[in-house]
């Protein structure tokens, strides 16, 4: 519902819970599978609004960042990784709550930087959203175009991350079965969230989403 409602943020909600239940490597892989599933019903309607040139630059940089994040994920013990993932969420929440936005122009250098940091976070924790959300919200594009680019970008960057996981044998049959089992629920939630978006104000959603994210980040440490 969060993904359908805001266009991003589902990974920040799912990753801590799945990482606490199944370990960071499996939790992140499962989150990536579900991120793709939730976007599938939404993508066809937004494709005409996508800025493919900018998406291409972002994905080029993300493809470089994902393997580095993935190597860090598998090199660190699970318990510290849980703390790190929760810290990433709390840091993102703090930045969102502060109202911080990038003040420069979105040129090629800032586009590549946003893509690389997004890819690194995706390989590390399955959360590609914060850098890209900040990047797009800094521009003057209408909301419909921003949501279209976010939705499309996450599908491709998650596929890149899944390829990195698969190349290192980090996705097994059990993870795929879990993903298939949960996919209908996240797809339905995405559609419901998309329908609810016009009914609520941005301020209401922002406060509610931040409270949920803080609760999940803290709660994942004691599961």
């Amino acid at each position: 519902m969060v993904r359908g409602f805001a266009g991003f943020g589902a990974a920040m909600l799912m990753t801590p819970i799945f990482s606490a239940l199944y370990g960071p490597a499996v939790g992140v892989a499962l989150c990536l599978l579900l991120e793709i599933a939730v976007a599938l019903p939404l993508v066809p309607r937004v494709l005409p609004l996508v800025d493919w040139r900018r998406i291409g630059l972002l994905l080029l940089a993300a493809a470089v960042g994902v393997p580095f994040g993935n190597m860090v994920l598998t090199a660190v013990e699970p318990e510290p990784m849980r703390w790190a993932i929760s810290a990433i969420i709390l840091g993102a929440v703090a930045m969102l709550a502060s109202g911080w936005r990038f003040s420069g122009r979105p040129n090629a250098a800032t586009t590549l930087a946003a893509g690389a940091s997004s890819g690194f976070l995706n390989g590390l924790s399955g959360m590609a959203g914060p850098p890209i959300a900040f990047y797009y919200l800094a521009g003057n594009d209408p909301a419909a175009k921003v949501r279209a680019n976010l939705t499309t970008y996450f599908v491709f960057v998650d596929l890149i991350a899944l390829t990195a996981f698969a190349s290192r044998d980090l996705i097994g049959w059990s993870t795929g079965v879990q993903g298939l089992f949960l996919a209908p629920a996240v797809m339905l939630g995405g559609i419901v969230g998309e329908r609810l978006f016009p009914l609520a104000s941005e301020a209401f959603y922002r406060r509610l989403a931040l409270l949920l994210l803080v609760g999940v980040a803290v709660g994942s440490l004691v599961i």
Side-chain angles (χ1 to χ4, degrees):
M1 289 178 66
V2 168
R3 177 66 178 274
F5 193 53
F8 70 98
M12 290 191 290
L13 192 62
M14 291 189 293
T15 300
I17 296 174
F18 291 147
S19 296
L21 292 175
Y22 308 117
V26 174
V28 172
L30 182 57
C31 179
L32 291 170
L33 288 169
L34 294 177
E35 278 272 281
I36 294 173
V38 74
L40 290 179
L42 310 176
V43 167
R45 291 193 290 273
V46 303
L47 286 179
L49 299 174
V50 173
D51 182 347
W52 290 105
R53 180 181 179 278
R54 194 182 297 187
I55 290 288
L57 281 177
L58 289 169
L59 290 172
L60 178 65
V64 176
V66 164
F68 288 101
N70 189 244
M71 286 189 291
V72 172
L73 172 67
T74 55
V76 178
E77 292 297 321
E79 189 66 21
M81 198 66 248
R82 282 173 55 193
W83 283 86
I85 289 173
S86 292
I88 289 171
I89 295 176
L90 290 173
V93 168
M95 294 182 74
L96 288 168
S98 72
W100 181 88
R101 295 289 185 271
F102 176 67
S103 58
R105 297 183 60 186
N107 53 32
T110 56
T111 300
L112 291 172
S117 58
S118 172
F120 178 81
L121 281 178
N122 212 30
L124 174 67
S125 62
M127 293 181 290
I132 299 302
F134 297 142
Y135 170 81
Y136 273 108
L137 290 172
N140 297 317
D141 291 334
K145 190 170 184 179
V146 170
R147 286 166 61 86
N149 282 284
L150 290 174
T151 299
T152 306
Y153 170 81
F154 291 139
V155 172
F156 287 103
V157 78
D158 287 342
L159 286 172
I160 292 172
L162 280 174
T163 301
F165 273 70
S167 68
R168 304 185 66 195
D169 295 323
L170 296 176
I171 299 179
W173 283 105
S174 60
T175 305
V177 171
Q178 285 175 306
L180 288 174
F181 178 74
L182 294 172
V186 296
M187 293 171 76
L188 177 61
I191 294 171
V192 171
E194 186 182 38
R195 300 291 174 83
L196 290 175
F197 178 73
L199 305 179
S201 69
E202 182 180 346
F204 171 81
Y205 170 72
R206 188 182 184 86
R207 289 192 295 268
L208 180 61
L210 293 180
L211 287 174
L212 286 172
L213 292 172
V214 170
V216 170
V218 175
S220 68
L221 297 177
V222 296
I223 294 178

